[in-house]
Every structure is written in C-alpha cells, then in structure tokens.
Amino acid sequence: MDQEDTQTAVESHQAAWHKPSSIFKKSALVFLCSIVTPFGWLIIKILFFNKPFSAEFIDNLPLYSYMFLCSLLIFTIFTAYVGKNEKKSAALALHDPLTGLYNVRYFYYRLTEAYANIDRSGTPLAVILIDLDYFKKINDTYGHPVGDDVLRSVSRAITNARRINETAARVGGEEFVLLLPNCDLANAVQVAERVRKTIKDERIVINDGTEIRVTASLGVAATDKYEPDGEKKLYSDADTALYRAKRNGRDLTIAIS
C-alpha cells in the first residue's frame, strides 16, 4: 500500500457511517431505491395493460405499499451491511492485526502529515521508538503464541500510557512507535519514561502460571524546524537514540536533541 492508497484508506475510515451527512445521503439513496420497485411495476401495468394511473394505484395500494416496505427493508439491510464492511476493511488497512495498534503505513502517513504542520504552525513534533529487550529469548523459551500475548500486553500498556492526541503504532516485530504532535524534547522524554515504566510494571501470566516481565529500550527525538524530507531525519534520530539505549544496557530512555 503506497501513500495514495493509505490516504484513501484513511479517508474511507474517517467517512464514518455515523456522520450526519453520510446518514442523510445513504437514507436518501435507500428511499429512492425502495421506490423503484413499486413505481417500476406501476409503469409496466400502465404501459402494457392500458390501465389508468389513478385506478391502478388506488385499486392496488396495499400491494404497492407492501412492495415499497419490502424494498425499503431489503435496501436498508443491504446498505447497512455494505457500510459496515467498508468501515471494517478501512480499519484493517490501517491497523496491525495482532495488537490492534496502527500499522507502519499509517504511522508514516501521520508522520508526514504532522511534520508538514511544523512548516505551517512552528509547533514541535517528537517521535519515540520503543523496542522490547530480549524478546527473541521469550519466543525461544515459551513459544510464539506466548510472544504474541506479550506483544498484545505491551501494546495495551503503551496505549494506556500515551495521551489521547498521540499516535501509537507497531512498526516491526517487537518495535513500536509513538508520534507526539505539539511536544518538545523534554516533554517527550517524560512521556517515554512513563511508557518505559508502564511496560516494566506489566505482568504477563501464561497458562502454567509463570509470570513474564519485560523491559523496553526507548529512543526519543524531536524538532520544531521544518526542512524537506525532515521527517525521515526525525525518525532516523529516534532510531539512533534507540540504538544507544540498547548499547548502554537496555531498559533505558535516550534522547537526541
């Protein structure tokens, strides 16, 4: 999925069924489609059986009412079904199926969008990269299903630790990212530390009662200066900071200014 496809999926996801304009359009479409069946049959009777409009309509009013109501019910159910599946498909295109967090494609879409806002408003933007420590050992020791449980648990911890305007995504096997709009480096470090401690405090109990504890290394970068393709450097700086956290003993937060 390229940038254009991602934008299309985002727009489909945002064009939600519950928006008033969407409800009005769909209701109008359902109503018009429901009229077609009885009205079409009425036209056939008039044209091919030479029956006067008023006589045909009045004599068979119960029939035409029944046809209209049945058509209305069928088209309502069909439209609701299609709308529900459109929303589901759009959501699946933007989310990681294992953890429910946003996926890497949506993250890059949001990163590009948020970075462009620096040029317009001058507000800072921060990125936090999160990588679980020794995750391969968990998979090797307990198996991949337990590893998946750990990833889901960590995802919930990240979601609970973030603020409402921050985007959380899974960008790799055991790597996650937080996008923090309108956030400078000092505040981003505070958020990162809160996330790190939340992950460390998370208790994951598997079927045999064994308790698994995990830690994470975090890299933080922020900027309030716009330059072409600068979002790539911002992400790269966070990745460099993450590497330093790994190299310096793990279970750390390292920031690059």
Side-chain angles (χ1 to χ4, degrees):
M1 181 183 290
D2 57 22
Q3 183 76 5
E4 184 177 346
D5 292 333
T6 303
Q7 184 171 358
T8 300
V10 171
E11 290 171 351
S12 298
H13 187 60
Q14 291 174 341
W17 176 262
H18 60 268
K19 286 187 177 180
S21 60
S22 180
I23 292 176
F24 176 79
K25 291 177 182 177
K26 288 181 171 63
S27 298
L29 180 62
V30 168
F31 181 78
L32 290 174
C33 290
S34 302
I35 290 177
V36 168
T37 301
F39 186 74
W41 181 246
L42 179 61
I43 294 299
I44 290 173
K45 293 292 289 290
I46 293 172
L47 292 179
F48 293 96
F49 295 93
N50 297 319
K51 288 195 173 184
F53 174 83
S54 57
E56 171 62 24
F57 183 74
I58 293 173
D59 291 345
N60 294 286
L61 182 59
L63 172 63
Y64 290 117
S65 299
Y66 176 76
M67 292 172 68
F68 170 74
L69 291 175
C70 287
S71 299
L72 182 63
L73 178 62
I74 291 170
F75 281 113
T76 299
I77 294 173
F78 176 76
T79 306
Y81 175 79
V82 171
K84 181 179 179 180
N85 279 275
E86 283 179 349
K87 287 180 65 179
K88 185 177 180 180
S89 297
L92 287 173
L94 303 177
H95 290 80
D96 171 57
L98 177 64
T99 63
L101 296 179
Y102 286 114
N103 59 26
V104 63
R105 294 184 181 93
Y106 180 74
F107 166 74
Y108 282 122
Y109 170 83
R110 287 288 295 119
L111 174 62
T112 302
E113 186 179 61
Y115 188 78
N117 192 53
I118 297 176
D119 189 36
R120 294 190 294 267
S121 64
T123 56
L125 178 68
V127 169
I128 301 173
L129 274 176
I130 307 159
D131 191 86
L132 301 186
D133 300 325
Y134 304 111
F135 181 72
K136 184 178 183 300
K137 185 177 180 180
I138 293 175
N139 274 337
D140 293 343
T141 303
Y142 302 103
H144 288 278
V146 172
D148 290 346
D149 288 340
V150 170
L151 291 174
R152 282 189 284 263
S153 180
V154 168
S155 298
R156 287 192 295 270
I158 293 172
T159 299
N160 292 335
R162 72 177 177 87
R163 295 176 296 189
I164 193 169
N165 66 327
E166 296 166 353
T167 300
R170 182 185 178 206
V171 293
E174 66 270 23
E175 190 168 307
F176 304 86
V177 66
L178 274 173
L179 182 66
L180 289 67
N182 196 22
C183 185
D184 59 20
L185 189 65
N187 285 315
V189 169
Q190 292 180 6
V191 173
E193 274 296 281
R194 184 169 68 247
V195 170
R196 185 185 65 82
K197 292 174 182 176
T198 301
I199 293 173
K200 189 173 184 177
D201 291 341
E202 191 76 8
R203 289 175 170 82
I204 302 129
V205 180
I206 61 178
N207 291 335
D208 64 0
T210 302
E211 183 178 281
I212 300 174
R213 305 292 288 271
V214 293
T215 61
S217 302
L218 293 85
V220 186
T223 185
D224 59 0
K225 296 179 176 61
Y226 178 85
E227 58 185 44
D229 293 328
E231 69 273 15
K232 296 177 182 177
K233 182 179 184 303
L234 178 63
Y235 188 90
S236 177
D237 286 346
D239 193 45
T240 300
L242 173 61
Y243 174 76
R244 291 179 184 174
K246 290 285 189 183
R247 190 177 58 188
N248 283 276
R250 295 177 168 82
D251 191 22
L252 289 173
T253 296
I254 298 290
I256 289 182
S257 58

